[in-house]
Amino acid sequence: MTEVSLIAAIEALWRGRENPWVALAGGDDCAVLRLPGSPDDLLVTSDQIVENRHFLPGRHPPAALGRKALVRSLSDIAAMGGRPAFFLQTLCIPRWAEGAWHDEFQSGMRQAAELSGAERLALVGGDIAGGERFVATTTVIGTVEAGTALTRGGARPGDSLHVSGTLGGSGLGLARLHREGPPAPDDSAVRRHCEPSPRLGLGRELRGIPASAAIDLSDGLAIDANRLAVASGLAVVIDPVLVPLFPGVRAEDAIRSGEEYELLFTVPPNALVPPEPLATRIGHVEPGTGVWLETGGDRVALAAEGFTHF
């Protein structure tokens, strides 16, 4: 069973349980709830990190995991152009993670709440239980002006395609963490993997352009560009030569590197886009389907390959 097929099966079981306050449910970075009479919509998203799937206890520092546990959801809020307001954390804590390890994990999560754009974020609850593996789930609730949230499905033919930051650093850092022996404490790729920052300010700026579509790069450019293409019902064309690379990373690796937490977005022709290095144009949108790598007039289909949760 794949992630896509499992989600489809779950959604099928819940058809017929629609709520009029739900403006957008599954299939995007956040659900959008529109409450009667409110000037703002609510953005709701949930993410988890699982021991031996998303991290290795002996390799990933607990403070870095706490930070990443919250940044994963904050990045979803950023992709919709919103502001994070509240969150819940649910933990499954094995014996080895009690005490100092857990204290450092919580410290890292608190550090994430101090990042730019998350200053008003408040912990409002959650749940804790013991278990065999460490699992942390965060649910973040944000706000956005009613009817203005960015989605994956708004791209139009002729739009240009852009990405924030540089790509590949997180994958390179993860590879170095998995090697024998500890990495150098000042390794920039390891820091990139362990200390991600959500693009909350950029997300709000994109909403003001306005951008036509956006998605956060949690599973890799190859997978998430395909998600944007499917949601918009169009083809996405990427020039791999234009993809901004983290130092020491090859384009083919950057395209599939997961946990980047950058934003991939489209804008209409002649729109005023944030300049490099904050954002780089890497392609365009056109009629058709799928994602294509184009170099010198030659095109190759880009499969949706990258990080998988199964």
Side-chain angles (χ1 to χ4, degrees):
M1 181 173 290
T2 66
E3 179 182 1
V4 173
S5 64
L6 181 57
I7 291 173
I10 294 172
E11 290 177 340
L13 290 172
W14 285 92
R15 289 197 185 103
R17 298 285 299 184
E18 288 78 13
N19 184 305
W21 293 357
V22 179
L24 180 63
D28 224 292
D29 286 279
C30 300
V32 180
L33 308 183
R34 187 161 300 156
L35 306 185
S38 174
D40 293 330
D41 289 338
L42 296 181
L43 305 174
V44 184
T45 183
S46 186
D47 288 281
Q48 62 181 335
I49 57 171
V50 179
E51 179 185 343
N52 293 333
R53 170 58 62 178
H54 300 102
F55 76 98
L56 299 175
R59 295 289 180 177
H60 287 79
L65 288 173
R67 175 176 175 138
K68 184 179 294 187
L70 188 50
V71 165
R72 287 166 64 88
S73 293
L74 294 179
S75 187
D76 289 336
I77 299 291
M80 307 286 280
R83 293 179 179 272
F86 317 102
F87 86 102
L88 300 96
Q89 60 168 301
T90 298
L91 305 177
C92 177
I93 306 178
R95 290 292 185 184
W96 66 260
E98 294 177 356
W101 193 96
H102 173 258
D103 292 344
E104 291 186 37
F105 176 87
Q106 291 294 333
S107 175
M109 188 174 286
R110 179 57 188 265
Q111 291 171 15
E114 302 296 332
L115 294 170
S116 177
E119 296 87 355
R120 295 184 178 180
L121 184 66
L123 175 65
V124 295
D127 191 35
I128 297 176
E132 298 302 315
R133 290 188 178 186
F134 183 85
V135 181
T137 303
T138 56
T139 300
V140 175
I141 302 169
T143 62
V144 66
E145 293 179 14
T148 68
L150 297 173
T151 70
R152 303 174 181 180
R156 297 291 179 264
D159 286 354
S160 57
L161 180 73
H162 304 254
V163 69
S164 64
T166 59
L167 302 183
S170 181
L172 179 60
L174 178 62
R176 290 177 178 174
L177 277 175
H178 283 187
R179 292 176 184 169
E180 292 297 327
D186 60 347
D187 189 307
S188 60
V190 172
R191 290 202 311 271
R192 178 71 179 83
H193 175 73
C194 290
E195 301 174 9
S197 295
R199 295 288 191 171
L200 290 163
L202 176 60
R204 293 194 296 273
E205 186 176 350
L206 295 179
R207 190 163 52 85
I209 290 175
S212 51
I215 185 173
D216 94 305
L217 296 183
S218 56
D219 295 331
L221 178 61
I223 288 180
D224 293 319
N226 271 278
R227 288 170 174 158
L228 189 148
V230 169
S232 293
L234 294 168
V236 168
V237 181
I238 297 172
D239 183 344
V241 175
L242 300 180
V243 174
L245 305 178
F246 189 89
V249 175
R250 301 178 304 170
E252 53 265 40
D253 295 327
I255 287 170
R256 292 173 175 81
S257 175
E259 296 193 313
E260 295 289 342
Y261 304 111
E262 298 291 351
L263 298 184
L264 180 71
F265 59 95
T266 59
V267 299
N270 303 317
L272 185 61
V273 182
E276 296 184 27
L278 183 57
T280 303
R281 184 184 185 279
I282 62 171
H284 66 274
V285 179
E286 63 182 38
T289 59
V291 178
W292 303 86
L293 296 180
E294 183 175 69
T295 306
D298 295 327
R299 289 190 177 185
V300 178
L302 179 61
E305 298 174 344
F307 179 80
T308 174
H309 298 276
F310 284 82

